[in-house]
Amino acid sequence: MHGLPKGLVFAIYYPVLAAIGIPANLAVIVILSRGRCGLSRCITYYLVSMAVTDLLVIFIAVILNRIAVIYFPGSFLDITPACSLRGALYFAGIDSSVWLTVAFTFDRFIAICCKKLKIKHCTERTAVRVIGTVCTLSYSKNTFMYFVYEPLYINENIPWFCSIKLTFYTSPAWAAYEWIHRLLTPCLPFILLLMLNALTIRHILAASRARRRLRAHSNGMNQSDPEMEKRRNSIVLLFTISGSFILLYLLHFINFLYVRIARVSYFSGSNFSQTNFILEESGYMLQFLSSCINPFIYTGTQSQFRAQLKKGVKYPMSLVVKLFK
């Protein structure tokens, strides 16, 4: 009974997350793909690819790995090969989502701070190549995760469920792999995002001061500056995307450090009274939430995206009104 409220929280949280995240990311894909939000094709490619990977994370991690396990226990998804495949695909999807966020941030850093390099780097062709490379490397790297698991038990020659092998914690090779895995996601992205954002902020502040002095000297008074307003909107979009990523992935990274430093195992049960289970599952909950947050960031920071979204919502309503007239 002590664990029931917490179990109920998980049982409610994940369906709600899927119910919000799937239509939200689909709306982002449709709206941005139409190219009517005033964004360059390069930015659009990155944002659409991020929405696609977030959609895959919700489908694999939330629906198949959480909702199916909670509401349909003992299905074919719990057979060890299927369970191992779900685990590998989950890690690959997370890696793709994380590194596409880094790639987008780096692209915006080049566009804002490196005017000469911008012409060569911030193009549709480069965006497609970067997106393809990130996704290919992410899925290739995480094929090894398929072999991390072993059956929890075997019933009538059928292996059921996934338990992390004991050698994963004792083998130097697996320890090295996990350190590389965790350093690449999310430790290195944390560092890169903080560094790129800091450099971008410094450049923007210096450019803003110089522009204000120039305009004050030429006009004799402060007037509205459309260029600075446009730049400000772009920066708000960039910083909210990368900032939300850092905040929502932080607990997951802390859990990894706790497992390795305290020499405890990742929790594979459902004992809600265990501290390591609560820490681990809370980290996953925030991590999955990051796959739903970007559509709301676009709605809050991009007026043209907001306008397109309103049109999309009003269109089916207008059809219903016409139908009943």
Side-chain angles (χ1 to χ4, degrees), residues 254-319:
I254 291 173
N255 180 64
F256 156 68
L257 295 178
Y258 171 71
V259 168
R260 283 300 174 183
I261 295 174
R263 296 185 180 276
V264 298
S265 62
Y266 288 108
F267 213 79
S268 58
S270 57
N271 188 344
F272 301 102
S273 64
Q274 292 288 332
T275 302
N276 54 334
F277 174 82
I278 299 300
L279 178 63
E280 182 177 339
E281 195 63 27
S282 299
Y284 283 128
M285 291 172 72
L286 291 177
Q287 186 184 59
F288 300 154
L289 179 61
S290 70
S291 297
C292 302
I293 206 73
N294 283 353
F296 298 95
I297 291 176
Y298 304 151
T299 303
T301 61
Q302 301 296 303
S303 58
Q304 293 189 50
F305 178 88
R306 194 161 53 246
Q308 292 297 319
L309 181 62
K310 289 179 180 178
K311 287 182 181 179
V313 172
K314 290 180 180 178
Y315 181 71
M317 295 175 63
S318 63
L319 290 180

Side-chain angles (χ1 to χ4, degrees), residues 7-36:
L8 186 60
V9 167
F10 296 140
I12 296 174
Y13 176 79
Y14 290 119
V16 170
L17 195 65
I20 295 174
I22 289 178
N25 280 293
L26 284 174
V28 168
I29 294 170
V30 172
I31 292 174
L32 293 181
S33 297
R34 298 180 68 186
R36 299 179 182 177

